Amino acid sequence: MNIYRTHNCNALRASDAGKQVCLSGWILSKRDHGNLLFIDLRDHYGRTQCVVNTENPHFEALSKLRVETVVKIEGKVLKRDAETINDKLPTGEIEVAIENFEVLGEAAVLPFSLTSDESDLSEEQRLTYRFLDLRRDRPHANIILRNRFIQSLRQRMWAQGFMEFQTPILTSSSPEGARDYLVPSRVHPGMFYALPQAPQQFKQLLMVSGFDKYFQIAPCFRDEDSRADRTPGEFYQLDMEMSFVEQQDIMDVMEPVVLGAIQEFAPNKDFSDEQFRHIPFEESMLIYGTDKPDLRNPLIIKDVTEIFRGSDFGIFASMVEQGAFVRAIKAPGCAVKPRSWFDKLGAWAKDEGFGGLAYISWTEEGAKGPVANKLSPERVAQIAATCDAKTGDVVFFVAGKGQKTAKFAGSVRTALGKELGLIDKNKIIFCWITDFPFFEENPDTHQIEFSHNPFSMPQGGMDALLTKNPYEIKAYQFDCVCNGIEICSGAIRNHRQDIMVKAFEMAGYGKEVVEAKFGGMLNAFKYGAPPHGGCAFGVDRLVMLLCGEEYIREVIAFPFNQKAQDLLMHAPAPVTELQLREAHIKLRKENPTA
């Protein structure tokens, strides 16, 4: 191939025995068997065992090399004896007898072993030395899979006639739901660019420009707090937009793209026949307690509010009279659980801000527990019928108002599903959540605000904005969810200037604010905008699902830590006074008198 190698470290097979070869890579490990030294050489492609004996003039020098030193090895391919074949390696039938070597890059003492279990390593260690961490098998394989997966997505989009465009990284700040990353302008003192939270306005402008189908693997920047499925700072999404479409058209295009790519890289997973079921938002919140339902969990939440209305179970009856609702979640086969198991769940509920978990157990002797003792047999029977509860089952109850209570019922469903081992981790199930509310009430200010995407078209258009209760208006807005993780958000866009101005006005933004923030798009809409819509799938989250990782940083080459720091490149970091002056910035002391 060149002066460094004739083959990579995964290429040689038994049929290559007798060949003179040259390999280059990192020393993964050394094993000194007295008169024989075995070196496992690793590169991007795989590993090859190399061997040298004490008669070789290079034996002593090779034995002194540290692991992770980069070397070039020249030698002859030998077949291994049958008893020494390693079936776990593609190159396990051969080894290379070392005749000559050259050190290409000497390694210092490692800060940690690259063969150790990652659970023994701290996040700080792994991210400070990320270039070493990525040499380990699992992180390396994750990044390779990410590359191949993105390649598959691209090919599938191209096959459907989409064109790939790039949109600006430096743009204007706009209220899209998260904090912007701001970039000061040197040329325009006191003015700032913003890194795009998403290419939302630009992809809509591409449709107004007459392009019919757009996509890109788009970088997005949001100053958000870290969590397991969200990295602070930067993330990537498969972004797409289409003209002259309805909501179902977008779904029909994207389902085979995403499902096909997932199946390509997860052929052994169980893909349910019930893929991409449509679940309205209100139904999802009622029966799953979340707008991100994990459909692998068979448990369903039931509404039993009316059964408790006017009952002798005073706590719930009083709450219902004051406008509360009661949700019920069946835990099959749990009546035999010890008291400690119920106490543990009750303590967890208190930690979540609720008074505990009321429940009824159906035993051989009948319904048991404080709730059953206060309800008439007819009401208990109604609960059993509603929840399909049989002997041996337990039904837990959650009572309260608003989304907080609905979401807690969802948390109970999830906790029981995990506790009882009901979630099949080999399954992958997608669904669409549709008909999101267009507006919602801010719990702190009690003002109207956008529930989801401010660029969505309200169902019913201008007539709905003028005549309906704002909180009853639905949006042509949808999410795609896979195994309890939101992987996509999309919508039919609002392409009407008058509707956009009215919607923002209802959310507290005057026309002058809308024109200042979205003037480019509003101006474009004056000159003939087609009906259009699109969506964006989170690439990082999709790869996380494919790799079976719990944390999204495991599928990102150089992620921030949980405090939004790059420990490898030491960012964020101070800059010089000259740099600040050029950007027309003066830092303010938080406590000038301290």
Side-chain angles (χ1 to χ4, degrees):
M1 296 169 67
N2 56 36
I3 63 171
Y4 296 112
R5 57 189 178 189
T6 58
H7 300 77
N8 65 52
C9 289
N10 195 47
L12 297 173
R13 302 293 186 266
S15 59
D16 296 305
K19 288 183 179 179
Q20 290 293 130
V21 298
C22 176
L23 304 177
S24 290
W26 288 260
I27 296 176
L28 174 64
S29 63
K30 299 187 302 179
R31 301 182 302 281
D32 191 340
H33 288 200
N35 62 341
L36 286 176
L37 176 67
F38 291 95
I39 293 177
D40 283 344
L41 195 68
R42 181 199 71 238
D43 66 6
H44 168 76
Y45 303 97
R47 62 190 61 172
T48 300
Q49 178 174 287
C50 304
V51 61
V52 62
N53 60 34
T54 52
E55 297 177 2
N56 189 299
H58 301 299
F59 182 90
E60 185 175 351
L62 283 164
S63 65
K64 291 180 179 179
L65 294 178
R66 295 191 183 98
V67 293
E68 294 307 310
T69 292
V70 182
V71 294
K72 179 175 79 171
I73 286 176
E74 296 173 326
K76 187 176 182 179
V77 180
L78 304 176
K79 277 188 178 181
R80 294 199 207 184
D81 295 334
E83 62 272 15
T84 62
I85 289 175
N86 185 348
D87 293 330
K88 295 180 180 178
L89 290 179
T91 60
E93 293 184 351
I94 60 93
E95 59 190 12
V96 174
I98 301 174
E99 297 174 358
N100 199 7
F101 87 100
E102 179 185 350
V103 174
L104 302 176
E106 189 172 353
V109 176
L110 298 177
F112 52 83
S113 170
L114 303 194
T115 58
S116 62
D117 189 287
E118 68 183 43
S119 62
D120 297 330
L121 305 175
S122 68
E123 180 188 59
E124 183 177 5
Q125 284 178 305
R126 294 183 63 198
L127 296 186
T128 300
Y129 298 96
R130 184 61 168 169
F131 52 90
L132 292 178
D133 188 46
L134 287 174
R135 294 182 194 175
R136 299 189 303 113
D137 288 346
R138 184 173 171 183
H140 201 82
N142 284 352
I143 302 306
I144 292 172
L145 187 147
R146 179 191 177 104
N147 167 73
R148 294 173 59 208
F149 182 71
I150 289 174
Q151 183 180 18
S152 177
L153 292 175
R154 275 197 164 101
Q155 289 172 341
R156 294 170 189 276
M157 294 300 287
W158 289 330
Q160 295 207 58
F162 282 80
M163 301 182 72
E164 184 171 8
F165 298 109
Q166 287 71 46
T167 50
I169 296 300
L170 293 176
T171 183
S172 60
S173 177
S174 65
E176 292 186 33
R179 295 183 187 91
D180 287 322
Y181 279 103
L182 301 176
V183 180
S185 170
R186 176 186 61 83
V187 179
H188 303 282
M191 309 291 277
F192 290 82
Y193 303 101
L195 303 183
Q197 295 187 29
Q200 182 67 52
Q201 294 187 65
F202 290 110
K203 68 180 187 177
Q204 290 191 245
L205 288 170
L206 284 168
M207 297 302 101
V208 180
S209 301
F211 297 102
D212 195 57
K213 295 179 180 180
Y214 138 95
F215 90 97
Q216 70 172 318
I217 305 298
C220 304
F221 306 88
R222 297 180 187 178
D223 187 2
E224 297 179 307
D225 293 333
S226 176
R227 65 187 189 201
D229 64 349
R230 184 173 68 195
T231 179
E234 178 181 352
F235 63 94
Y236 285 79
Q237 59 191 32
L238 169 57
D239 207 83
M240 61 83 72
E241 198 80 6
M242 304 169 66
S243 289
F244 305 108
V245 291
E246 297 179 289
Q247 182 170 283
Q248 189 60 46
D249 296 316
I250 299 168
M251 296 175 177
D252 289 343
V253 164
M254 295 309 298
E255 286 176 12
V257 170
V258 174
L259 182 60
I262 292 285
Q263 288 176 326
E264 178 182 346
F265 294 98
N268 297 321
K269 290 289 187 179
D270 180 6
F271 290 88
S272 166
D273 291 335
E274 190 187 11
Q275 293 292 350
F276 296 107
R277 175 179 146 207
H278 289 206
I279 307 172
F281 171 82
E282 290 182 357
E283 178 184 332
S284 186
M285 293 302 300
L286 173 63
I287 66 177
Y288 302 116
T290 177
D291 58 0
K292 296 179 280 288
D294 187 344
L295 299 186
R296 298 173 301 172
N297 185 349
L299 301 182
I300 298 296
I301 301 169
K302 298 289 185 177
D303 184 82
V304 291
T305 304
E306 294 307 312
I307 297 176
F308 281 92
R309 187 182 300 277
S311 72
D312 292 331
F313 191 66
I315 298 176
F316 282 8
S318 175
M319 293 175 70
V320 169
E321 287 304 316
Q322 296 175 37
F325 53 79
V326 184
R327 303 282 194 255
I329 308 100
K330 183 180 77 171
C334 288
V336 296
K337 295 283 187 183
R339 178 61 183 268
S340 59
W341 186 79
F342 292 91
D343 291 343
K344 180 182 175 182
L345 282 173
W348 166 74
K350 290 179 181 178
D351 290 341
E352 295 294 311
F354 287 79
L357 277 178
Y359 61 90
I360 297 176
S361 296
W362 275 265
T363 70
E364 295 291 347
E365 293 78 32
K368 301 290 185 181
V371 177
N373 294 340
K374 292 288 187 179
L375 293 179
S376 66
E378 292 78 15
R379 292 181 189 264
V380 172
Q382 281 182 282
I383 292 173
T386 300
C387 300
D388 192 28
K390 300 179 176 60
T391 300
D393 294 340
V394 174
V395 171
F396 289 95
F397 302 98
V398 174
K401 296 180 181 179
Q403 296 283 13
K404 181 180 178 181
T405 301
K407 289 180 178 179
F408 179 63
S411 297
V412 174
R413 171 183 176 266
T414 299
L416 289 173
K418 292 179 178 178
E419 178 78 16
L420 302 178
L422 300 177
I423 299 173
D424 185 348
K425 294 186 178 180
N426 196 50
K427 283 186 175 181
I428 292 181
I429 307 178
F430 294 89
C431 66
W432 294 106
I433 306 300
T434 64
D435 301 323
F436 279 87
F438 192 68
F439 293 116
E440 64 184 8
E441 181 180 318
N442 184 301
D444 299 319
T445 65
H446 301 292
Q447 300 296 310
I448 295 173
E449 61 183 22
F450 290 108
S451 175
H452 217 289
N453 188 323
F455 302 103
S456 302
M457 177 68 82
Q459 295 183 18
M462 181 64 84
D463 183 64
L465 297 180
L466 294 174
T467 63
K468 296 188 72 171
N469 180 327
Y471 301 120
E472 294 179 357
I473 300 171
K474 307 297 182 189
Y476 285 114
Q477 174 75 44
F478 53 88
D479 284 356
C480 187
V481 176
C482 181
N483 292 0
I485 297 176
E486 178 196 323
I487 58 171
C488 163
S489 182
I492 294 297
R493 314 303 181 189
N494 185 352
H495 69 286
R496 291 260 306 272
Q497 183 187 23
D498 57 338
I499 296 177
M500 182 176 290
V501 170
K502 180 62 179 178
F504 274 91
E505 177 189 301
M506 293 173 68
Y509 298 93
K511 185 176 181 180
E512 66 283 356
V513 176
V514 180
E515 289 178 344
K517 293 293 184 181
F518 311 110
M521 195 155 62
L522 282 175
N523 187 50
F525 286 174
K526 295 178 183 177
Y527 298 100
H532 59 280
C535 66
F537 278 83
V539 170
D540 311 282
R541 290 182 180 179
L542 287 169
V543 178
M544 183 179 75
L545 284 167
L546 271 178
C547 293
E549 295 288 359
E550 186 176 353
Y551 297 102
I552 201 165
R553 64 176 179 269
E554 298 295 347
V555 300
I556 299 171
F558 299 103
F560 280 179
N561 68 2
Q562 295 183 38
K563 296 180 179 179
Q565 296 170 303
D566 181 343
L567 300 181
L568 174 60
M569 302 303 288
H570 306 293
V575 296
T576 66
E577 180 64 27
L578 176 61
Q579 287 174 297
L580 291 173
R581 287 182 179 181
E582 287 179 335
H584 313 285
I585 290 177
K586 184 176 182 179
L587 298 181
R588 183 182 66 183
K589 293 182 179 180
E590 290 296 328
N591 297 299
T593 59

